[in-house]
């Protein structure tokens, strides 16, 4: 009845980065930015300057209200002052005001106005404006879709250090999103983003190196890129790295390192990693054997829909290992696993229910 095999599946999926917002600034009341520990003390003087038409004060006042720097967040006031500065031509204010129009914060949602203000910011060579305008063209947000224009703007933003711009072009070529799929070109764009330490780009370079898809198949390179990405906090890379160490791909099997990376990914909520670290605690692989901790991780994974975790958790409840014996909970989790098509769970559930019927007849 007990099934505690590792779930082994390399993760690969698309996450298209959302628009970029304003960089946090405490104050910006001159051409030289000054960091202020308590921006609220600047409010009277900033308000006076803003009301007097000084564009930098208008922008800084809006920024303080948007971020709640020493004051309550007030998007209506933020939008009011961003518009004052935006209509005077300040690119940063134009970008930030457009963000508010997209989200409907302090103003009604208006994607057309957002597009217009992103365009104004991009025309002034603001990298954030170029990036957000590229997303608008890519998604057809407030304008017609224009993939070539989108790529051109992403490239411009990437040249100014917006690594997510290079990442997004890579994802478009990788998945054939609006453009013909080309993994080799995708790898070039991911490499540009990875040079700026972009964790998601590093992850995709790892996937491509492991599969030999768009890059020469090289598991050592895959481990390198996954490690770079995982060290930068990217959860799918942590999980894939755990799989490589668990299976001994390009290296000797190393349960300690596998458990380390599964645990890191599990703590960030990855259900497959939660199941795998549960198994490792169950059998004492790479970590001390601990049925209680195994159950704790099985529960987390099972609640997220992991069928293998649901099955193993049901067995734990049935046997009373690592948790108090509870036939009702065992039936519950066997049912959950059976509903997802697990044949072993269905057989065990049938046997348990038949036993209950037999007892009822007696």
């Amino acid at each position: 009845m007990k099934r505690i095999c590792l779930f082994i599946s390399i993760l690969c999926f698309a996450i298209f980065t959302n628009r970029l917002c304003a960089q946090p600034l405490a104050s910006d009341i001159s051409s030289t930015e000054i960091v202020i520990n308590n921006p609220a003390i600047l409010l009277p003087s900033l308000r006076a300057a803003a009301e007097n038409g000084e564009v930098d004060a208008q922008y800084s006042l809006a920024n303080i209200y948007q971020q709640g720097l020493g004051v309550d967040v007030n998007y209506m006031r933020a939008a009011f002052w961003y518009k004052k500065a935006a209509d005077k031509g300040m690119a940063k204010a134009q970008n930030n005001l457009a963000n508010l129009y997209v989200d409907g914060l302090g103003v009604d949602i208006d994607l057309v106005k957002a597009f217009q203000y992103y365009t104004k910011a991009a025309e002034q060579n603001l990298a954030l404006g170029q990036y957000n305008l590229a997303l608008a063209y890519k998604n057809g947000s407030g304008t017609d879709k224009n993939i070539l224009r989108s790529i051109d703007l992403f490239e411009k933003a990437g040249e100014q250090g917006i690594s997510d711009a290079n990442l997004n072009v890579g994802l478009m070529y990788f998945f054939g999103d609006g453009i013909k799929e080309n993994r080799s070109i995708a790898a070039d764009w991911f490499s540009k983003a990875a040079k700026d330490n972009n964790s998601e780009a590093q992850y995709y370079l790892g996937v491509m190196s492991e599969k030999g898809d768009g890059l020469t198949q090289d598991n050592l390179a895959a481990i390198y890129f996954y490690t770079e990405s995982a060290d930068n906090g990217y959860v799918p890379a942590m999980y894939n790295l755990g799989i490589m160490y668990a299976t001994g791909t390009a290296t000797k099997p190393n349960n300690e390192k596998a458990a380390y990376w599964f645990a890191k990914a599990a703590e960030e909520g990855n259900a497959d990693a939660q199941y795998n670290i549960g198994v490792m605690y169950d059998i004492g692989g790479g970590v001390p054997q601990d049925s209680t901790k195994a159950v704790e991780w099985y529960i987390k994974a099972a609640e997220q829909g992991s069928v293998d975790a649901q099955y193993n958790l049901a067995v734990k409840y049935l046997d009373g290992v690592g948790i108090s014996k509870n036939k009702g909970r065992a039936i519950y989790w066997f049912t959950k696993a059976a509903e997802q098509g697990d044949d072993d769970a269905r057989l065990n559930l049938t046997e348990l229910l038949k036993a209950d019927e037999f007892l009822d007849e007696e």
Side-chain angles (χ1 to χ4, degrees):
M1 181 179 289
K2 193 173 185 180
R3 182 184 65 207
I4 53 175
C5 56
L6 282 177
F7 178 79
I8 299 173
S9 175
I10 295 296
L11 297 180
C12 179
F13 53 88
I15 298 180
F16 286 92
T17 307
N18 293 326
R19 71 186 181 283
L20 296 181
C21 300
Q23 61 267 39
L25 296 175
S27 67
D28 189 9
I29 57 175
S30 69
S31 58
T32 302
E33 292 177 358
I34 303 170
V35 175
I36 304 297
N37 291 328
N38 182 12
I41 66 175
L42 293 176
L43 279 177
S45 57
L46 277 176
R47 190 177 292 110
E51 290 172 352
N52 200 37
E54 294 184 19
V55 66
D56 290 327
Q58 292 169 343
Y59 172 80
S60 294
L61 191 59
N63 204 269
I64 286 172
Y65 280 123
Q66 182 183 7
Q67 298 182 59
L69 299 174
V71 297
D72 292 337
V73 170
N74 190 318
Y75 291 114
M76 289 186 66
R77 290 184 180 181
F80 176 83
W81 289 113
Y82 276 142
K83 190 174 189 308
K84 290 286 188 182
D87 289 346
K88 288 188 175 181
M90 177 178 272
K92 291 185 293 184
Q94 291 163 347
N95 178 77
N96 292 4
L97 179 61
N99 289 338
L100 296 183
Y101 275 119
V102 169
D103 290 328
L105 297 174
V107 291
D108 292 333
I109 291 176
D110 191 327
L111 299 182
V112 172
K113 283 186 179 179
F115 172 78
Q116 292 169 348
Y117 278 110
Y118 284 143
T119 299
K120 292 176 184 290
E123 287 173 348
Q124 296 190 67
N125 206 35
L126 182 74
L128 291 177
Q130 292 168 339
Y131 176 88
N132 289 330
L133 184 61
L135 282 177
Y137 276 118
K138 175 187 171 296
N139 298 323
S141 177
T143 186
D144 293 333
K145 282 190 177 184
N146 188 327
I147 297 300
L148 293 180
R149 179 68 175 136
S150 174
I151 290 174
D152 178 62
L153 285 161
F154 276 139
E155 184 173 9
K156 285 181 167 60
E159 289 171 352
Q160 293 198 69
I162 306 295
S163 68
D164 278 345
N166 294 323
L167 168 68
N168 272 278
V169 179
L171 290 171
M172 291 167 74
Y173 277 107
F174 187 91
F175 291 101
D177 181 30
I179 197 165
K180 185 177 180 180
E181 179 184 303
N182 189 315
R183 297 293 171 84
S184 295
I185 293 178
D188 291 338
W189 285 99
F190 289 145
S191 295
K192 290 180 181 180
K195 287 178 182 178
D196 291 327
N197 227 23
N198 187 293
S199 62
E200 192 173 345
Q202 292 164 338
Y203 165 77
Y204 276 98
L205 290 173
V207 170
M208 297 172 81
S209 296
E210 184 174 5
K211 296 180 179 297
D213 186 6
L215 290 172
T216 301
Q217 201 278 331
D218 186 339
N219 285 325
L220 286 175
I223 287 179
Y224 170 79
F225 286 122
Y226 284 149
T227 302
E228 290 286 299
S229 178
D231 284 339
N232 284 321
Y234 197 63
V235 177
M238 298 174 190
Y239 173 80
N240 284 7
L241 200 52
I243 292 295
M244 297 194 80
Y245 281 119
T247 58
T249 305
T251 183
K252 291 181 180 180
N254 189 319
N255 285 337
E256 288 76 16
K257 286 187 176 181
Y260 172 81
W261 287 113
F262 284 145
K264 295 281 283 187
E267 288 164 359
E268 295 296 328
N270 183 285
D272 293 332
Q274 290 169 343
Y275 169 73
N276 282 353
I277 193 63
V279 169
M280 300 190 86
Y281 274 114
D282 214 346
I283 65 177
V287 290
Q289 196 279 332
D290 190 326
S291 295
T292 300
K293 285 187 177 180
V295 168
E296 289 173 359
W297 285 115
Y298 286 153
I299 289 173
K300 291 179 185 295
E303 288 175 345
Q304 292 200 73
S306 167
V307 63
D308 292 310
Q310 290 168 349
Y311 180 92
N312 283 4
L313 184 57
V315 172
K316 292 295 186 185
Y317 273 117
L318 196 62
D319 295 340
V321 177
I323 198 166
S324 298
K325 185 179 290 191
N326 188 321
K327 189 176 180 180
R329 296 301 292 172
I331 290 174
Y332 173 83
W333 286 113
F334 276 139
T335 301
K336 285 289 187 182
E339 287 172 349
Q340 295 196 68
D342 190 289
D343 291 333
D344 292 335
R346 189 177 293 113
L347 288 171
N348 288 323
L349 183 60
T350 300
E351 290 178 10
L352 287 171
L353 294 177
K354 279 183 178 179
D356 283 346
E357 289 174 4
F358 178 75
L359 289 174
D360 289 341
E361 290 174 1
E362 290 186 334

